[in-house]
Amino acid sequence: MKRTVLAILLACATAAGAQTPAPSQNPPAAGGAAPSDQAPTIKDPAEYNAYVTALQQQDNNAKISALEAFLTQYPNSVMKTSALEQLMSTYQAAGNQAKVVDSAKRLSAADPNNLRALALLTFLARQGVMSQQNIQQNLADLQQYCAKGLDAVKADQKPGGMKPEDFEKLKKETTLIFNSGCGFGALQTKDYQHAEAYLKAAVDQDPNDLQNVYPLATAYLSATPPDTLNGLFYLARAAGIAPAGSPAQQQIQAYGLKVYKNYHGSDQGWADYALPTAKSATAPPADWGEKITKYVPPTPAQQAHDLVKDKTPDQVKQLSFGEWELVLSAGTPEDQAKVWDVIKNVPLQMEGNVIEATSNTELHIAASQDDIEQKRPDITLTMTGPIPAARLPKAGDVFDFEGTPTAYNATPFMMTMENGKLLKKAGEPAPKKPAATTRRRTPAKRKPQ
């Protein structure tokens, strides 16, 4: 929420309080009170002179002393509210922030629906939270005063003597502050539903205030489930209205691009559509959701199909063991056949990790990276004969072997290989090879055929 709004409020308070009341020589209206659309009048000449003298002071400190003295001497004056508004503004002009808050609280106590006091207290409490000062107390104050402020706007109690058009302007300006404060407070307490509602109202009223636009994006993205489309728009909007080239703009753009790529699957459309669109539009356009679609990753079956589609038998044979495993475990029967018909009963040479040696004739091996990481066997290798004790691999050994696929089970995946042979002494350091890759992306190492 912009500080200029606060300055306008304080200026209005000064101007309103500076209106010199005329001393009344007439009896009060029926019921003992002046009509609500008339300015209050002072009947006591001494009280009148004390108030006017206080208003006429040019020095801030002198004015503060005179107004405090007036309020002490005339605690029930009809000009009490105006005097407190003047005092609040003068303390602000003097740079005494603590007394600004104190006078605003006094004004709010004297006039519970005073929009200027509640707006000032809301603004200062939010600033306290943002500057990490006494966070819990400032957050509690923020939530209290913004809620009272919105209630006061609904109460619609125009101060006596204020023009209707001026009161409407005051309500509009303070409503922005109250919605902004309530939205920011709700965001701090992770009440994302109310944060969205309050901040959206504030942004609709002032779409160029970064201190509301960015928190609104955060509220959308933090909700459960997140509203990523709206969140992305207001992230892009925040990037567009942030000072050009500033660290804030760079950080927002980087974060927005990250969220965009996670949602859309690539950065395509971020720079040439999302950013320029949100910079010129104040709300998501009708085609926003059509242009920015959610990336849906392919299913394992789709990945399996893509792996073997349009490949020759020789190309299928060059796939990794992990890719074979994906097709044989998740592919359609037709796709499985494209792999199995190529490798069945064909001696294969590859590298694997020993999970266990169940006997000197059978080894359980992990050959895909996923299964290696999970220490889960995906090959049962039956040797051509007993392995000598000195060469029997131990759990965790990485070794080269040959085996002939004869059968497989799709779920859980297990390939049966026979005619197994060790291609090097167990425990020997393996020559440095490229790292194995994941089951859905790469092969375990196989020896050239």
Side-chain angles (χ1 to χ4, degrees):
M1 193 252 323
K2 297 178 180 177
R3 187 172 290 274
T4 53
V5 175
L6 182 67
I8 291 171
L9 290 176
L10 290 170
C12 290
T14 302
Q19 296 175 358
T20 304
S24 174
Q25 304 298 325
N26 301 318
S36 62
D37 60 344
Q38 295 181 6
T41 55
I42 298 178
K43 301 175 177 54
D44 182 353
E47 179 183 345
Y48 172 82
N49 289 334
Y51 183 71
V52 171
T53 298
L55 290 185
Q56 292 175 343
Q57 298 299 317
Q58 300 301 310
D59 178 75
N60 286 331
N61 290 330
K63 189 172 184 178
I64 287 169
S65 296
L67 286 168
E68 290 285 18
F70 173 80
L71 290 165
T72 299
Q73 188 173 2
Y74 302 102
N76 299 315
S77 172
V78 294
M79 300 305 294
K80 182 176 182 178
T81 296
S82 296
L84 285 169
E85 288 182 340
Q86 280 288 304
L87 186 63
M88 181 175 69
S89 299
T90 308
Y91 273 127
Q92 178 73 12
N96 192 332
Q97 196 81 337
K99 284 296 186 179
V100 172
V101 175
D102 176 70
S103 56
K105 289 180 177 179
R106 291 162 63 187
L107 176 55
S108 181
D111 180 10
N113 287 325
N114 190 282
L115 296 177
R116 295 188 182 98
L118 292 170
L120 180 62
L121 290 168
T122 296
F123 174 85
L124 295 176
R126 177 175 178 174
Q127 293 300 304
V129 175
M130 292 176 65
S131 61
Q132 304 291 302
Q133 296 177 356
N134 198 5
I135 296 176
Q136 294 304 317
Q137 183 60 55
N138 276 315
L139 182 57
D141 289 345
L142 172 62
Q143 293 174 309
Q144 173 190 358
Y145 292 126
C146 74
K148 286 183 177 181
L150 290 173
D151 287 341
V153 171
K154 293 177 182 177
D156 201 29
Q157 294 182 359
K158 183 176 74 66
M162 180 178 282
K163 295 179 181 179
E165 59 269 27
D166 290 339
F167 184 51
E168 291 303 313
K169 182 181 179 182
L170 177 63
K171 286 194 297 181
K172 181 178 180 180
E173 291 170 343
T174 55
T175 296
L176 174 59
I177 297 174
F178 299 139
N179 277 324
S180 174
C182 283
F184 185 78
L187 185 61
Q188 304 312 301
T189 58
K190 300 183 179 181
D191 180 2
Y192 300 120
Q193 181 178 3
H194 286 100
E196 289 173 14
Y198 287 125
L199 289 168
K200 182 64 165 59
V203 170
D204 285 346
Q205 186 174 342
D206 183 0
N208 297 314
D209 189 346
L210 182 61
Q211 290 193 15
N212 287 328
V213 174
Y214 185 76
L216 176 58
T218 302
Y220 279 128
L221 294 172
S222 302
T224 304
D227 184 345
T228 309
L229 272 176
N230 276 318
L232 278 170
F233 175 83
Y234 288 104
L235 267 184
R237 176 75 184 164
I241 62 178
S246 66
Q249 185 185 56
Q250 294 171 7
Q251 291 170 7
I252 294 170
Q253 285 180 339
Y255 175 51
L257 177 59
K258 178 181 177 181
V259 175
Y260 183 89
K261 289 171 68 175
N262 287 340
Y263 181 79
H264 187 59
S266 73
D267 61 0
Q268 185 179 7
W270 172 250
D272 59 358
Y273 173 74
L275 285 176
T277 297
K279 186 173 183 178
S280 60
T282 58
D287 63 350
W288 182 258
E290 298 173 8
K291 295 290 184 65
I292 302 176
T293 55
K294 182 176 176 58
Y295 169 72
V296 179
T299 65
Q302 290 170 328
Q303 293 181 59
H305 179 72
D306 290 340
L307 278 173
V308 296
K309 182 177 62 175
D310 301 328
K311 282 187 170 60
T312 65
D314 283 344
Q315 290 172 324
V316 170
K317 193 173 183 180
Q318 296 306 313
L319 294 176
S320 72
F321 182 85
E323 289 168 328
W324 289 343
E325 181 175 335
L326 173 61
V327 176
L328 294 174
S329 61
T332 64
E334 292 79 8
D335 290 334
Q336 290 179 12
K338 289 181 180 180
V339 169
W340 191 239
D341 290 348
V342 168
I343 66 174
K344 182 182 179 182
N345 298 324
V346 176
L348 302 174
Q349 294 181 349
M350 63 181 68
E351 179 188 86
N353 282 31
V354 176
I355 303 302
E356 65 174 340
T358 57
S359 69
N360 61 1
T361 59
E362 183 178 277
L363 301 177
H364 287 178
I365 301 166
S368 73
Q369 188 61 34
D370 285 351
D371 290 332
I372 289 171
E373 291 173 356
Q374 297 295 322
K375 296 182 179 179
R376 178 178 56 208
D378 47 33
I379 294 175
T380 298
L381 178 64
T382 302
M383 310 304 293
T384 55
I387 303 173
R391 297 194 64 195
L392 185 64
K394 301 183 297 295
D397 281 351
V398 179
F399 76 119
D400 293 338
F401 66 94
E402 180 179 289
T404 302
T406 57
Y408 72 91
N409 183 70
T411 307
F413 184 81
M414 178 63 70
M415 182 178 289
T416 300
M417 288 187 176
E418 297 180 357
N419 300 321
K421 299 176 184 178
L422 300 182
L423 299 183
K424 70 179 182 66
K425 183 178 178 181
E428 273 185 3
K432 190 171 182 180
K433 299 181 179 181
T437 50
T438 64
R439 174 187 303 170
R440 289 180 171 74
R441 302 291 182 194
T442 53
K445 309 302 175 297
R446 297 197 311 282
K447 297 292 184 182
Q449 300 297 302

